[in-house]
Amino acid sequence: MLKRIYVPCDTTALSMGADKVAKLIERHANARGLEIELVRNGSRGLFWLEPLVEVETDSGRIGFGPVEAHDVDALVDAGLFEGKSDHPLCLGMVEDISYLKLQQRLTFSRIGITDPLSIADYRSHGGFVGLEQAVSLSPQAIVDEVKASGLRGRGGAAFPTGIKWQTVHDEPWQQQKYIVCNADEGDSGTFADRLAMECDPYMLIEGMTIAGLAVGATQGFIYLRSEYPVAHRILNDAISRAEAEGYLGRDVRGSGRAFHLEVRLAAGAYICGEETSLLESLEGKRGLVRAKPPLPAIKGLFGQPTVVNNVLSFAAVPFILAKGGQTYADYGMGKSRGTLPIQLAGNIRRGGLIELAFGVSLREILEDFGGGTFTGRPMKAVQVGGPLMAYMPQNQWDTPMDYEAFAQLGAGIGHGGVVVFDDTVDMGEQARFAMEFCTVESCGKCTPCRIGSVRGLEVIDRIRAGESPEANLVLLEELCETMVDGSLCAMGGMTPFPVQSVMKYFPDDLTA
C-alpha cells in the first residue's frame, strides 16, 4: 500500500511555500526509492500552521507544521515517511488538534481531507448524496426542506434562503430562470468562500444544482472574484469533471432536468458584491446598483427570475438535503439556525477558519480559538462582518454570535469575518478609513453615498485637525444619518456604522 502524504494546494498554503515543500518531499522519496502518493489536498483552515503536511498512518493522519522548505530534510531524517512523531514540528493526530476538534463542521467537513478535484473522494465523504435526494423530490419539496432548515443568507442581509427560492419557484416555469452565486468575496478578513471553492468545489456545484432543480432554473453562473486565480482554475476543472459524470448538463443524474454552470470573473469592484450591481456586471454593464423593487427573484439577470445567494449559502444546501432541514436547524439559536463559518484575521495569534453553531460568544472565538493578539498586546476593538460594520469594544465581546443579538448593538455578522485590533490602533484613523473606503468603492449612482462619503471624509479630517470639533461632530452625526436613511444600497447605508461606533465607543481617538 502506498504511503499517502498530504500537502495543501490552496492559496494560503501556496503563498507559504507549499509547492516547494511538496517537490522536496517527492525528491526525497525518489532518492530513497520509496513509492508515495502525494495528495494535494485543501487547507484545513488552520492558517498559522500552513503549510500543514499530513502523513497517513493506520491510526489516522499525523500532522507537521508549519513546514518550510528548509525543514524537509530534518523531517525526512526524523522519519516523516514512516509517520514518526518525534520532530518538534509534529502536531500529533490532526483530528485531535483542539482548534479543529472543538468545531462543528457541517459545511466544511471535507476541507483538508479530500483531493478537491476527485469526484471519487467527494462521494466517499458524503458528496452528492444531497443531489441524489433532490432528484427524487419535487421542486416544492426541495424548497420546503431549505425553508425548514432556517438557512439565512450568509452574505450580509441574512434574508431567509428558502423564502427567496420560493419566490423564484412561484414564477411561471415557462420562463428562463437563473441561479447566480455571488463569489466576489471582498470583505476585509474573509476567506471562507475561497476555501470552499478551492478545497471543496463540488460542494458549491452540488448546492447550485439543487437550487436549479428547486426553482426550475437551467443555467447558473459563479461570479468569481478576479483576484482568485487558484479558485478559478479549480472551479473550471471541477465543472468539466462534473459534466462528464452527469452531475451537470442536459440530464442531471437521469432526472430529465438540465442545469448548466459557468464561471464569470468579477469586475474588481467592491460594489459588485451587492446583488443588483453584480447582475449589471454579469450582463456586461457597469456595476451600478439597481433600484428595488422589482426584486432580482422576480426580475433579475437579463430581466428573468433569479436566485442570488453567496457561496456559503449554496454550500450549506447539500448537507440540508442529505441530512434533512430539521437536522441543520437543530444547530444554532433563535432565528439564527445552523452553523456559521467564522474567519479570524487581523492582529490575531491563530488566524483561520472556524465553523461553529450560532450562539458561541465573540469572546470565546477571540480567546479560545484565536489565542489573543499576534503582538501579545491587549485587544482593543473587533470588527465583525466586513468594512461596513461597527467596531465593537470589549464590553460587547460576550455577545452571542446571533443576527438579532448583534443587530441590537448596531453591529452585524455579515459574512462572518472577524478582524482584531490591539491597543495601539488609532480608531479615529479607522473611522476615516471607513469613509475613504466608500469614496473609492461607491458606484456613484445615489447622492447620499457619492457625495456624503466625500463630505464625511472632509469633516473627519477637520475634527482630527482640531477645527471646531464639537460643531463638526454634530455635522458628522447628521451626515451619517442622511447616508443611512437615504442611500440606495448598503454601501452608503452602512458606511456610517463603523464611523458612528467610533464616535460612541472611542471618542477620544477621533478627536485626538
Side-chain angles (χ1 to χ4, degrees):
M1 180 177 175
L2 293 179
K3 175 72 72 175
R4 284 197 185 92
I5 298 180
Y6 298 81
V7 181
C9 65
D10 71 292
T11 297
T12 302
L14 293 177
S15 71
M16 300 299 289
D19 275 348
K20 186 176 289 187
V21 169
K23 289 176 182 176
L24 286 172
I25 289 173
E26 278 191 308
R27 188 180 301 168
H28 276 286
N30 293 334
R32 286 165 170 74
L34 298 174
E35 288 190 53
I36 65 167
E37 181 183 352
L38 187 67
V39 180
R40 301 307 300 273
N41 59 323
S43 171
R44 296 264 191 172
L46 284 62
F47 286 166
W48 82 98
L49 295 177
E50 292 293 5
L52 174 61
V53 176
E54 300 180 40
V55 180
E56 192 169 75
T57 70
D58 293 338
S59 303
R61 293 194 200 172
I62 293 178
F64 299 84
V67 177
E68 297 182 40
H70 62 76
D71 297 316
V72 175
D73 289 352
L75 279 169
V76 171
D77 291 340
L80 176 72
F81 294 122
E82 291 77 36
K84 292 184 179 178
S85 55
D86 56 354
H87 190 277
L89 292 181
C90 182
L91 304 164
M93 292 297 171
V94 177
E95 298 292 343
D96 290 334
I97 297 173
S98 61
Y99 191 97
L100 191 60
K101 194 173 184 178
L102 295 174
Q103 297 187 38
Q104 296 157 299
R105 288 197 168 182
L106 307 184
T107 300
F108 286 92
S109 62
R110 281 177 296 267
I111 70 161
I113 297 175
T114 60
D115 174 349
L117 288 171
S118 170
I119 289 181
D121 244 8
Y122 183 67
R123 287 184 63 91
S124 69
H125 289 83
F128 289 125
V129 173
L131 179 57
E132 299 288 358
Q133 177 70 8
V135 166
S136 69
L137 296 174
S138 69
Q140 184 60 59
I142 300 173
V143 174
D144 289 342
E145 209 64 60
V146 175
K147 286 196 288 187
S149 73
L151 177 66
R152 295 167 69 173
R154 296 290 189 254
F159 188 81
T161 303
I163 300 300
K164 183 180 289 189
W165 288 22
Q166 185 70 65
T167 304
V168 179
H169 170 280
D170 291 346
E171 290 295 297
W173 280 61
Q174 294 76 18
Q175 299 183 70
Q176 172 68 58
K177 299 180 182 180
Y178 295 102
I179 306 295
V180 173
C181 175
N182 182 352
D184 191 20
E185 185 175 48
D187 283 347
S188 49
T190 57
F191 43 81
D193 288 359
R194 177 180 62 77
L195 280 179
M197 293 182 289
E198 292 180 353
C199 306
D200 201 7
Y202 296 114
M203 174 174 61
L204 175 58
I205 291 169
E206 183 179 3
M208 293 184 69
T209 305
I210 291 170
L213 297 178
V215 304
T218 58
Q219 179 66 53
F221 294 99
I222 299 172
Y223 186 81
L224 177 67
R225 185 178 183 183
S226 58
E227 294 90 344
Y228 285 173
V230 176
H232 190 205
R233 172 180 56 79
I234 289 175
L235 281 172
N236 279 329
D237 199 346
I239 288 171
S240 296
R241 297 186 188 204
E243 287 174 342
E245 293 291 330
Y247 294 105
L248 288 172
R250 285 184 282 183
D251 184 18
V252 175
R253 303 307 290 168
S255 66
R257 288 179 276 179
F259 188 72
H260 304 274
L261 188 57
E262 299 176 33
V263 180
R264 290 287 183 269
L265 286 179
Y270 182 80
I271 192 61
C272 288
E274 193 278 334
E275 63 177 0
T276 63
S277 181
L278 182 157
L279 294 175
E280 289 286 297
S281 178
L282 197 53
E283 291 177 3
K285 305 170 188 173
R286 179 183 171 191
L288 294 176
V289 174
R290 297 177 183 175
K292 293 184 284 189
L295 297 170
I298 297 170
K299 190 175 181 181
L301 186 64
F302 301 116
Q304 303 301 310
T306 305
V307 169
V308 184
N309 284 126
N310 84 337
V311 173
L312 298 182
S313 302
F314 285 122
V317 170
F319 178 92
I320 291 168
L321 266 293
K323 303 293 185 180
Q326 188 56 51
T327 301
Y328 190 80
D330 287 342
Y331 293 83
M333 65 175 288
K335 295 180 180 179
S336 302
R337 310 312 306 176
T339 57
L340 175 68
I342 301 159
Q343 300 119 92
L344 264 177
N347 194 334
I348 196 76
R349 192 157 69 90
R350 295 195 294 262
L353 176 79
I354 307 161
E355 185 178 356
L356 294 167
F358 284 97
V360 61
S361 75
L362 181 56
R363 191 179 300 277
E364 289 176 84
I365 293 166
L366 297 171
E367 296 177 357
D368 296 350
F369 288 91
T373 63
F374 182 80
T375 57
R377 298 185 63 86
M379 288 181 280
K380 180 175 181 177
V382 179
Q383 188 176 42
V384 181
L388 307 183
M389 295 294 186
Y391 295 105
M392 302 177 70
Q394 290 190 37
N395 62 7
Q396 295 181 344
W397 296 350
D398 291 312
T399 305
M401 297 293 282
D402 167 72
Y403 291 119
E404 280 65 40
F406 267 61
Q408 287 177 3
L409 298 174
I413 290 177
H415 191 51
V418 177
V419 180
V420 179
F421 302 87
D422 74 9
D423 63 353
T424 63
V425 69
D426 179 353
M427 296 307 297
E429 187 62 30
Q430 293 304 123
R432 187 186 189 282
F433 168 76
M435 278 294 183
E436 185 178 33
F437 183 81
C438 188
T439 65
V440 174
E441 297 293 346
S442 171
C443 76
K445 187 166 185 178
C446 71
T447 301
C449 179
R450 182 183 70 249
I451 304 299
S453 58
V454 176
R455 298 288 87 86
L457 189 60
E458 294 169 353
V459 174
I460 290 174
D461 282 343
R462 289 202 295 270
I463 293 170
R464 289 176 63 75
E467 297 179 22
S468 305
E470 292 184 6
N472 277 309
L473 281 168
V474 173
L475 180 60
L476 182 60
E477 184 59 51
E478 292 176 349
L479 179 61
C480 285
E481 291 173 2
T482 300
M483 292 179 69
V484 170
D485 296 335
S487 295
L488 191 57
C489 80
M491 179 79 235
M494 295 173 67
T495 289
F497 291 176
V499 179
Q500 290 171 320
S501 68
V502 171
M503 294 171 69
K504 185 174 183 179
Y505 302 117
F506 308 99
D508 291 344
D509 282 17
L510 187 60
T511 56

